[in-house]
Amino acid sequence: MGVTRRRKESRERVIVRFAGDSGDGMQLAGGQFTSATATVGNDLVTLPSFPAEIRAPQGTLAGVSSFQIHFASRDIATPGDTPNLLVAMNPAALQANVGGLEPGTAIIVNEDAFSKRNLMKAGYEDNPLDDDSLEAFQVTRVPMTTLCQRAAEAVDGASSRDAQKARNLFALGLVCWMYDRPTDGTETWIAQKFGGQPLVRDVNLAALRAGYTFGEATELIGARIEVAPATDIPPGTYRNVNGTQTTSMGLVAASVKAGLPLTLAAYPITPASELLHTLARRRDFGVRTVQAEDEIAAAGIALGASFGGGLGVTATSGPGMDLKAETIGLAAMLELPLVIVDVQRAGPSTGMPTKTEQSDLLLALYGRHGESPVPVVAASTPGNCFDAAFEAVRIALRYRTPVILLTDLFLANSSEPWRIPSAADLPRIDPAFARHDDPDAPFLPYARDEVGARAWAIPGTPGAQHVIGGLEKADRTGTISYDGVNHARMTELRAAKVAGIEVPDVVVDADEGARVLVLGWGSTAGATRAGVRRVRDRGLPVARAHLHHLNPFPANLADVLRRYERVLVPEINSGQLAQLLRARYLVDVISHTRMEGQPLLAGAMEQAILEAMPA
Amino acid sequence: MTTTAGLTKADFQSTQETRWCPGCGDYSILAAVQGFMPELGIPPERVVFVTGIGCAGRFSYYMNTYGMHAIHGRAPAVATGLAAARDDLSIWIVSGDGDALSIGGNHLIHALRRNVPIKILLFNNRIYGLTKGQASPTSELGKVTKSTPAGSIEAPVDALSLALGAGATFVARSIDRDKQHLPDVLRAAAEHPGAAFVEILQNCPVFNDGAFDHVADKQQAAEHRIPLVHGRPIIFGTEQEQCVVRAGDGSLRIAAAADVGREAIVVHDAHRHDPSLAFALSRLGDLSRGPVPIGVLRSVPTPAWGEGLVAENRRAHAAAGDAELDALLSAGDTWSVA
């Protein structure tokens, strides 16, 4: 496409939010814009947001879907607090998003959609484009529907309905022009996606080009904005990934490295279903997926696969975890590997299925009857889901234990550039199945190795026949035992095994003279990093650390906590980690929480850190 | 490596002390299973018993095979997972009426409709034994128990009808004390490629003693059992004087053989793909008073769940090394930062 002669402005970072009806293709426009941005070499983080209803009534606030992308010429950590540009495809999208905008924010609206009927559905009494209610913003009115129709006239046989459907690509073309993003990737994508439907392909291409050309040809938008490629990113080969993709790849990689085929059993639930969908396409790696009849069966099937010497994994969200508790308890008693992926969402009960939260921490740690300790690993970023999944499998196989992997809806859906690891660099995992070659000696299924893991003889191993089960087992021999002393011993052995799992020390990123430590876990990593950076930009020293292992905690955590005058613990729950730290380490940490179904914001983190600073 | 030649009952007996109540029907079932196992020609290490909770749940401990005493009702789910990962094992489930039909009902239905290659033995004593005498889902209407002192007001579920409704491809009924019939049915179940469901009428001497005396007792057997043999007319009674015929509305009814012509008597066809005959048989008679059909109601060899998939998984997995993994990790659009 042509080169513009318009004035250019340089910015270090930009946040763009596309908002429209849930059928308007906002996720698609955002995804394509993300790809274009990644190829330019910016660092980026995205945040898709969509309604729980599959098709909420058109034009209503309930049906607004949005996609936010934050891109920059330096390493960034979050999808950004508030956008610099809001694209609103209809009044509802404007109404739902205008609230949090900073003064001066650019807003592009599809003015064709501001009909009386649509305004009414969005709860507007008067057209906000015609009064002074948007005075604080730089509003650009673009008749996108009309322009799309005009562009489609060049395509033989295109109806006005076809043109209507392509509005998202018009908006994408316009935004690509504004931020100098290439459109060739999107054009290729359209050509491939609609190869079999030439009419749809041509209308979409026409709309995309019309949007781009509109930016170039009109004087409506004053300046193009340039964001230079990021220069502080470690060298390597990158791709754009969301947490679902990386979790799946981490599980597959661990399965290959362990030499055990992966069986994933799951019951559909938002947002964990995507893991089932993704792994169902991985039969080329020997992955077998089972869509179970319920959450309980899913856990049972995964455990059955592990019993047979496979790698059993189950994945769920929210209420599904409650149903799996019984099986996780059994797995703890059987001392068999099992990986339970909990893609957390807001609860209780059905709660807000399409909104994020990290409120299952205490459930993961304690949500079972009896003394039933289970290792808990938490992922911190979309890319880190890969490492966390691999680590969960490593622990499960090495220590013969169920492991809960906590991710969340934000991690699952949001995307960022990911430095692709090399398969050769990933460690082998040895399942170390037991054999029994001495027919005169009894096989001891509960004999333990140096880390306290019991002997794992899988069915088919001659001479090692034994029965495992939920009833308490006698130490070493594994026969049923109601002996109280034995139960106490077995309880201690199981607890010691989990407590003794080797996990890396927590790493502190500290400024000299820092008196405040910000300690996060899970998906707050980006916001805490960004918040800390803003505080540092003010010249104030602060320390930051992030927990990837929640059970057991890293061995050096006690020392780290005591090294600082104040410890600030940000979480998307009511303060669950804070409670644990206070109880375990007797450190009166400061809890910072947000429970609005959204990730923490960098600005709020900055404020919280400043408030935590000792006078 | 255990050789299969010369396997005996002793090879399948564990050293665990058997702990059921004296006179429990589970003893005779255990003896029948242990006695029949050598016939399969499968070494004990490739046999797995998965059980749920209840008296029947202890069964796995008494077999010298691999076993898992799992959780209430979930044995079919665990066994399904085992079958998903392994195709070289003979997988058996032992369950009770409460375990299989109450808490585990959902899993049972889906294991059957998937036709998972597992053999499910349902010990039906129509009572909760291990929790000391409450009504079970198969308890008869009006049954007085600790939890139903005024008599149960709930209709019982019929295990065979339920299994057939779920699409089970092998469904049979036998009796704990019948030393001939039970091994025959077990053998037929073992030979079935998919999910086999066997209801075994079982006596609980403590909480529901004699519930099946009318069928278990040799003296009364002729009168109260409707023996099902594939290809044979369905005739029973001390003098073979009773038979099963089709009623005018298409259902089955019991008639006096003398009143109907020989050609009117229904010939049992266990291999019929259409399950309507098997279902009609499952609704025939009265479990509490007899007569009741005994034998294989349905046996239709059908490809088992995921047949060949385990081998395919193993092949695919073995072929996946670092190069394949690298290709997976770097799929799609990538870019380099120097």
Side-chain angles (χ1 to χ4, degrees):
Chain A
M1 289 187 177
V3 180
T4 177
R5 296 168 302 279
R6 200 81 48 81
R7 181 165 62 85
K8 283 197 180 187
E9 276 177 22
S10 272
R11 296 253 184 94
E12 188 186 59
R13 58 193 190 89
V14 165
I15 301 164
V16 174
R17 187 185 296 169
F18 295 89
D21 220 28
S22 61
D24 275 349
M26 292 298 96
Q27 306 301 325
L28 192 151
Q32 288 301 320
F33 189 76
T34 301
S35 298
T37 296
T39 58
V40 167
N42 292 136
D43 195 16
L44 64 91
V45 178
T46 71
L47 176 62
S49 172
F50 29 79
E53 296 80 8
I54 302 299
R55 286 282 179 272
Q58 274 200 328
T60 64
L61 289 174
V64 174
S65 166
S66 69
F67 187 102
Q68 182 162 312
I69 171 171
H70 182 186
F71 55 101
S73 59
R74 68 173 194 186
D75 163 40
I76 52 168
T78 77
D81 294 2
T82 60
N84 307 109
L85 170 67
L86 170 70
V87 179
M89 301 300 284
N90 64 16
L94 179 66
Q95 176 81 297
N97 287 286
V98 77
L101 300 185
E102 303 277 351
T105 302
I107 302 175
I108 295 177
V109 295
N110 173 17
E111 67 171 335
D112 289 336
F114 282 65
S115 64
K116 226 182 180 114
R117 197 172 131 72
N118 279 347
L119 287 163
M120 202 179 68
K121 280 200 276 190
Y124 280 114
E125 284 181 12
D126 301 304
N127 190 341
L129 305 180
D130 296 336
D131 59 27
D132 55 5
S133 61
L134 299 174
E135 214 174 35
F137 311 111
Q138 301 172 38
V139 181
T140 307
R141 303 163 64 144
V142 182
M144 293 190 202
T145 312
T146 312
L147 291 167
C148 266
Q149 258 152 11
R150 237 173 262 159
E153 280 165 13
V155 180
D156 271 353
S159 68
S160 79
R161 191 172 153 68
D162 295 328
Q164 282 249 347
K165 281 195 196 159
R167 280 171 308 186
N168 59 331
L169 287 160
F170 181 93
L172 173 63
L174 177 56
V175 177
C176 281
W177 176 83
M178 286 178 68
Y179 295 99
D180 204 7
R181 312 278 107 176
T183 55
D184 49 339
T186 303
E187 294 196 18
T188 309
W189 181 84
I190 293 170
Q192 279 170 356
K193 172 89 178 166
F194 301 109
Q197 301 159 269
L199 183 75
V200 180
R201 178 193 62 201
D202 294 347
V203 169
N204 278 322
L205 284 173
L208 177 74
R209 287 169 188 156
Y212 196 96
T213 314
F214 178 83
E216 192 162 81
T218 67
E219 298 286 327
L220 278 172
I221 291 156
R224 293 186 89 177
I225 291 156
E226 267 188 337
V227 178
T231 51
D232 56 350
I233 293 176
T237 306
Y238 285 78
R239 65 185 276 204
N240 201 43
V241 287
N242 66 31
T244 300
Q245 293 170 310
T246 41
T247 304
S248 311
M249 288 189 288
L251 293 170
V252 169
S255 144
V256 170
K257 289 293 177 176
L260 304 183
L262 170 63
T263 299
L264 173 95
Y267 185 78
I269 184 167
T270 303
S273 302
E274 291 298 327
L275 270 175
L276 171 63
H277 306 167
T278 307
L279 283 165
R281 293 193 295 263
R282 286 280 71 94
R283 266 167 71 169
D284 53 343
F285 280 87
V287 176
R288 182 154 186 194
T289 53
V290 182
Q291 183 179 323
E293 57 270 22
D294 60 32
E295 297 282 2
I296 299 172
I301 290 166
L303 183 59
S306 284
F307 176 47
L311 171 57
V313 179
T314 185
T316 191
S317 298
M321 277 303 281
D322 304 354
L323 289 170
K324 293 185 195 298
E326 181 196 32
T327 312
I328 301 171
L330 175 66
M333 189 56 135
L334 300 178
E335 302 193 49
L336 277 179
L338 174 69
V339 174
I340 306 103
V341 185
D342 178 9
V343 188
Q344 299 167 93
R345 66 185 216 188
S349 188
T350 309
M352 298 196 293
T354 60
K355 304 295 170 200
T356 201
E357 207 161 78
Q358 39 178 196
S359 47
D360 295 352
L361 176 58
L362 295 180
L363 172 79
L365 284 164
Y366 303 119
R368 289 166 298 284
H369 74 280
E371 295 278 346
S372 176
V374 167
V376 179
V377 176
S380 56
T381 66
N384 177 256
C385 289
F386 179 87
D387 306 294
F390 196 95
E391 172 72 348
V393 174
R394 181 192 72 84
I395 293 175
L397 292 175
R398 178 64 190 93
Y399 294 87
R400 323 253 197 268
T401 174
V403 175
I404 295 175
L405 169 61
L406 295 176
T407 70
D408 63 27
L409 183 144
F410 167 61
L411 291 176
N413 292 346
S414 88
S415 64
E416 65 174 359
W418 178 56
R419 189 159 63 137
I420 300 167
S422 160
D425 293 342
L426 298 170
R428 290 238 152 261
I429 304 172
D430 181 7
F433 295 133
R435 294 165 49 89
H436 189 60
D437 300 323
D438 179 359
D440 298 325
F443 176 68
L444 298 172
Y446 281 76
R448 291 171 194 278
D449 66 13
E450 65 279 8
V451 300
R454 78 169 182 89
W456 184 15
I458 60 172
T461 312
Q465 291 96 299
H466 63 282
V467 178
I468 52 176
L471 286 171
E472 183 63 281
K473 297 290 178 284
D475 190 13
R476 294 175 63 78
T477 64
T479 54
I480 302 172
S481 172
Y482 289 102
D483 174 45
V485 175
N486 173 74
H487 173 60
R489 175 164 175 70
M490 291 299 274
T491 304
E492 284 160 8
L493 285 170
R494 287 187 289 264
K497 177 179 77 170
V498 173
I501 290 170
E502 268 187 68
V503 304
D505 275 351
V506 63
V507 178
V508 184
D509 160 23
D511 291 331
E512 199 169 329
R515 295 158 74 189
V516 173
L517 169 71
V518 181
L519 180 66
W521 74 277
S523 70
T524 60
T528 56
R529 194 152 66 91
V532 161
R533 186 152 61 189
R534 291 186 186 192
V535 170
R536 287 176 176 168
D537 286 349
R538 291 168 176 257
L540 300 169
V542 59
R544 186 182 68 86
H546 201 78
L547 289 172
H548 288 93
H549 292 88
L550 282 306
N551 192 33
F553 282 131
N556 68 335
L557 184 57
D559 289 343
V560 167
L561 288 170
R562 293 194 179 109
R563 219 179 287 157
Y564 297 90
E565 277 178 60
R566 304 260 173 94
V567 179
L568 177 68
V569 179
E571 296 176 81
I572 315 174
N573 59 37
S574 64
Q576 298 190 6
L577 176 65
Q579 197 184 113
L580 286 170
L581 296 173
R582 287 179 189 138
R584 176 78 66 89
Y585 300 104
L586 300 178
V587 171
D588 187 16
V589 302
I590 304 163
S591 176
H592 173 81
T593 68
R594 185 187 196 202
M595 288 171 286
E596 296 167 11
Q598 298 294 331
L600 289 182
L601 299 179
M605 274 313 305
E606 177 187 16
Q607 203 51 42
I609 298 167
L610 292 174
E611 282 165 19
M613 292 274 182
Chain B
M1 192 72 190
T2 313
T3 53
T4 55
L7 282 175
T8 66
K9 184 175 181 180
D11 291 312
F12 291 91
Q13 290 171 318
S14 83
T15 54
Q16 298 266 312
E17 185 195 343
T18 319
R19 286 190 195 166
W20 284 309
C21 303
C24 176
D26 289 358
Y27 285 103
S28 41
I29 304 174
L30 177 65
V33 171
Q34 289 171 335
F36 134 84
M37 274 284 152
E39 288 182 28
L40 285 179
I42 301 171
E45 73 264 16
R46 287 209 289 115
V47 179
V48 183
F49 276 82
V50 184
T51 58
I53 302 297
C55 302
R58 306 298 175 93
F59 196 95
S60 47
Y61 292 110
Y62 309 133
M63 297 295 297
N64 180 37
T65 62
Y66 282 88
M68 189 201 290
H69 178 220
I71 31 184
H72 214 177
R74 318 299 174 205
V78 170
T80 295
L82 183 58
R86 298 284 296 270
D87 59 0
D88 58 333
L89 305 172
S90 174
I91 305 171
W92 296 72
I93 287 174
V94 171
S95 187
D97 39 316
D99 190 62
L101 301 173
S102 225
I103 190 163
N106 198 27
H107 309 309
L108 176 68
I109 290 169
H110 290 276
L112 292 173
R113 67 112 175 156
R114 288 186 182 116
N115 206 26
V116 182
I118 50 179
K119 316 303 156 200
I120 304 167
L121 309 183
L122 170 77
F123 298 6
N124 183 9
N125 56 21
R126 312 190 80 183
I127 199 81
Y128 277 73
L130 199 69
T131 50
K132 300 193 175 72
Q134 299 84 2
S136 99
T138 54
S139 290
E140 58 273 28
L141 206 60
K143 178 79 173 175
V144 174
T145 73
K146 282 178 187 155
S147 58
T148 54
S152 167
I153 57 164
E154 295 171 3
V157 64
D158 182 90
L160 301 184
S161 301
L162 182 90
L164 288 162
T169 53
F170 182 99
V171 172
R173 176 188 279 149
S174 191
I175 298 157
D176 55 0
R177 273 177 275 174
D178 194 321
K179 292 190 170 64
Q180 264 93 51
H181 192 262
L182 182 54
D184 284 348
V185 168
L186 293 175
R187 199 173 296 118
E191 285 164 5
H192 185 71
F197 180 81
V198 181
E199 178 191 33
I200 304 172
L201 303 180
Q202 181 256 6
N203 193 45
C204 173
V206 176
F207 296 107
N208 204 16
D209 195 26
F212 296 117
D213 275 358
H214 54 290
V215 281
D217 178 47
K218 284 264 152 65
Q219 305 302 316
Q220 305 179 57
E223 200 181 329
H224 290 129
R225 289 187 192 182
I226 307 174
L228 300 176
V229 181
H230 176 73
R232 299 250 187 93
I234 308 175
I235 301 171
F236 67 103
T238 330
E239 308 288 333
Q240 301 284 292
E241 73 283 6
Q242 303 267 71
C243 67
V244 173
V245 296
R246 282 203 185 278
D249 63 359
S251 66
L252 296 182
R253 67 179 177 85
I254 292 164
D259 296 347
V260 298
R262 178 89 194 167
E263 68 285 357
I265 301 173
V266 172
V267 174
H268 183 44
D269 182 1
H271 305 327
R272 249 168 74 135
H273 199 268
D274 166 50
S276 58
L277 175 67
F279 191 82
L281 286 168
S282 78
R283 308 309 291 178
L284 198 63
D286 181 334
L287 205 54
S288 301
R289 291 190 302 273
V292 289
I294 300 290
V296 178
L297 281 77
R298 182 168 202 240
S299 172
V300 180
T302 308
W305 181 61
E307 212 165 68
L309 250 186
V310 177
E312 185 194 300
N313 286 348
R314 217 179 290 122
R315 271 196 306 276
H317 194 264
D322 284 351
E324 288 71 22
L325 205 48
D326 279 327
L328 173 74
L329 301 182
S330 56
D333 293 336
T334 65
W335 68 94
S336 288
V337 174

